[in-house]
Amino acid sequence: MAELSDVVNETLRYEIEEFIEREDELERNITLFSKIRPSMQDIAAALIEGDNGSVDVLTKAALADGIEAVEIMDNGLIAGMGIVGIKFRENFIFVPEVLACARAMKAGMAYIEPILSASGVAKAGSVIMGTVKGDLHDIGKNLCIMMLRGSGFEVFDLGVDTSADEFIDAVEEHEAHIIGMSALLTTTMPNMGKTIEAFIDADLRDDVQIMVGGAPVTQEFADDMGADGYGKDALACVSLAKELVLALA
Amino acid sequence: METETDKEGYQKRLDRITEIFADMVTHADTQASERCPYRNRFDECTAKIHCRNQAPPRPEGELLMCGHDGGFDYRDAWESDPDSYDKAKAKIEKIKKDASSKRSAKSDSTSGTKPDST
């Protein structure tokens, strides 16, 4: 049976010892990480620390060393994210740390996805996401982006305080045809409607599918403003995006 | 070369990532009942917005501390009161009406029809 000391990476050893409490998870992670090569352990450790710069460098180096993309995905990125999930569930870390780890995962996936695409694996779709003009809340949007990327979508994040023109420019620049708009304030919710009207004015409304979400937004409000879909949370956002991809086909 | 196994294998991995993230999103919602989602593990505020719970300034470049005791349901802050929701709905109607009028006027002017002055 594998021992914790068989895990070469010091950070990983610390993470496993300090934060994993359930016996079955402890055994599973020690067994997993003791078997994988040190460079994969390094990627997993950097991801757990939310260090996207290191994940970027280490993933690139691993591929250059001839390591298969799927091995990096399994033993570096997904294995690391598994520990992040446990730490979050046990309240050792919180949403901001989780989002940093998700960004680190994206840094690694940026090298993996083109390889998978080249081998014929198509992305689920492309989505442009942003919080509407006047609104600086981004946690909900960022959780949606995390879920979308995890489900194989390519996401262009326009950040917060996004004007209608910025959404339109992004559609033209990235040729993405699904838009996701978020608002947390009732005072900024109407800006979703303004953006939809701007797409009509730009003669682009028929080219895009627009989904909306955010705590004060409802299905009724989404219907009133003429959106194509409403997602009440990040899980619904992914299901909706998949439906909208089909609607575009 | 593309193989079915490649696709299936990739999909399995995506499903695993989705499973991990879905658990996280579900937990994030539960956690919001007692902790602001912008508050990190060092009790610093990562929000770009102003909040009355942000503690006094810290040295430049450092995040502000969250000064709340943590004993509140953050989701309440997300719930809008019916009045402001109704106002937002009325505003949407106005935005749509104004945009439609503008488009009609533009269409009339390009087709040479004079707008109705009545």
Side-chain angles (χ1 to χ4, degrees):
Chain A
M1 191 182 138
E3 300 287 335
L4 183 62
S5 56
D6 297 331
V7 179
V8 178
N9 185 285
E10 194 182 337
T11 304
L12 268 183
R13 278 202 310 273
Y14 171 78
E15 292 285 339
I16 292 169
E17 189 171 28
E18 191 72 16
F19 300 114
I20 301 182
E21 291 168 344
R22 289 188 192 172
E23 277 303 320
D24 58 330
E25 290 177 342
L26 195 59
E27 191 182 326
R28 195 173 63 236
N29 277 286
I30 291 174
T31 305
L32 169 69
F33 285 111
S34 63
K35 278 195 295 193
I36 66 177
R37 62 176 102 205
S39 59
M40 295 300 101
Q41 294 184 29
D42 293 345
I43 291 176
L47 185 144
I48 293 165
E49 292 187 317
D51 181 354
N52 58 335
S54 294
V55 172
D56 180 304
V57 170
L58 292 167
T59 305
K60 196 175 170 186
L63 287 168
D65 287 343
I67 298 174
E68 294 276 337
V70 287
E71 183 181 339
I72 299 172
M73 249 184 118
D74 287 343
N75 297 343
L77 304 173
I78 298 176
M81 196 49 92
I83 291 194
V84 174
I86 292 169
K87 285 175 74 179
F88 184 50
R89 185 194 68 208
E90 301 297 336
N91 296 324
F92 288 118
I93 57 171
F94 303 97
V95 174
E97 283 83 24
V98 165
L99 292 173
C101 296
R103 273 194 294 276
M105 183 159 198
K106 183 193 166 236
M109 286 303 290
Y111 293 102
I112 306 292
E113 276 162 355
I115 295 167
L116 294 166
S117 299
S119 67
V121 178
K123 61 189 173 200
S126 297
V127 185
I128 288 164
M129 295 285 288
T131 303
V132 292
K133 189 78 191 158
D135 205 321
L136 300 176
H137 295 83
D138 59 2
I139 286 273
K141 169 187 71 69
N142 291 341
L143 288 171
C144 287
I145 290 173
M146 180 179 88
M147 282 295 303
L148 285 166
R149 284 187 176 138
S151 302
F153 281 88
E154 178 182 32
V155 183
F156 301 98
D157 180 13
L158 304 185
V160 296
D161 195 23
T162 311
S163 68
D165 286 346
E166 287 171 307
F167 277 108
I168 289 171
D169 290 347
V171 165
E172 290 176 335
E173 184 186 343
H174 302 298
E175 293 183 1
H177 300 286
I178 298 176
I179 317 288
M181 287 191 281
S182 161
L184 193 88
L185 306 170
T186 47
T187 49
T188 57
M189 270 201 305
N191 291 337
M192 293 174 158
K194 275 188 186 167
T195 304
I196 292 173
E197 293 300 328
F199 271 95
I200 297 171
D201 289 338
D203 209 15
L204 287 170
R205 183 65 186 91
D206 293 338
D207 299 339
V208 293
Q209 292 284 313
I210 300 178
M211 55 183 185
V212 295
V217 182
T218 60
Q219 181 66 59
E220 184 191 17
F221 198 89
D223 293 341
D224 281 357
M225 73 176 101
D228 298 305
Y230 157 73
K232 76 174 178 62
D233 55 31
L235 300 179
C237 170
V238 174
S239 307
L240 181 56
K242 285 179 179 171
E243 283 172 27
L244 296 180
V245 165
L246 293 175
L248 281 166
Chain B
M1 197 179 75
E2 176 189 347
T3 65
E4 206 49 44
T5 316
D6 289 333
K7 282 186 180 174
E8 282 172 15
Y10 181 52
Q11 191 53 52
K12 256 186 204 167
R13 289 172 175 93
L14 287 183
D15 290 346
R16 174 67 188 129
I17 296 171
T18 302
E19 187 188 353
I20 295 170
F21 284 173
D23 285 347
M24 287 174 168
V25 166
T26 305
H27 182 64
D29 187 51
T30 309
Q31 203 176 62
S33 65
E34 54 193 28
R35 187 182 177 96
C36 172
Y38 290 99
R39 182 174 176 164
N40 70 14
R41 67 182 163 139
F42 304 113
D43 294 327
E44 293 166 329
C45 177
T46 64
K48 298 179 180 81
I49 46 172
H50 291 294
C51 169
R52 63 170 172 251
N53 292 316
Q54 286 166 338
R58 300 173 75 194
E60 200 173 341
E62 287 187 27
L63 293 170
L64 296 170
M65 295 299 292
C66 178
H68 202 275
D69 61 10
F72 74 142
D73 188 340
Y74 186 81
R75 290 172 300 185
D76 288 349
W78 295 345
E79 286 169 12
S80 54
D81 75 281
D83 282 352
S84 57
Y85 181 80
D86 289 344
K87 276 183 198 166
K89 280 196 72 169
K91 203 167 174 189
I92 275 290
E93 283 308 310
K94 188 175 181 314
I95 287 166
K96 284 176 74 173
K97 206 172 160 186
D98 290 351
S100 177
S101 302
K102 267 189 198 167
R103 277 192 288 273
S104 297
K106 196 177 167 188
S107 163
D108 288 345
S109 67
T110 51
S111 66
T113 314
K114 284 184 182 174
D116 188 354
S117 58
T118 55

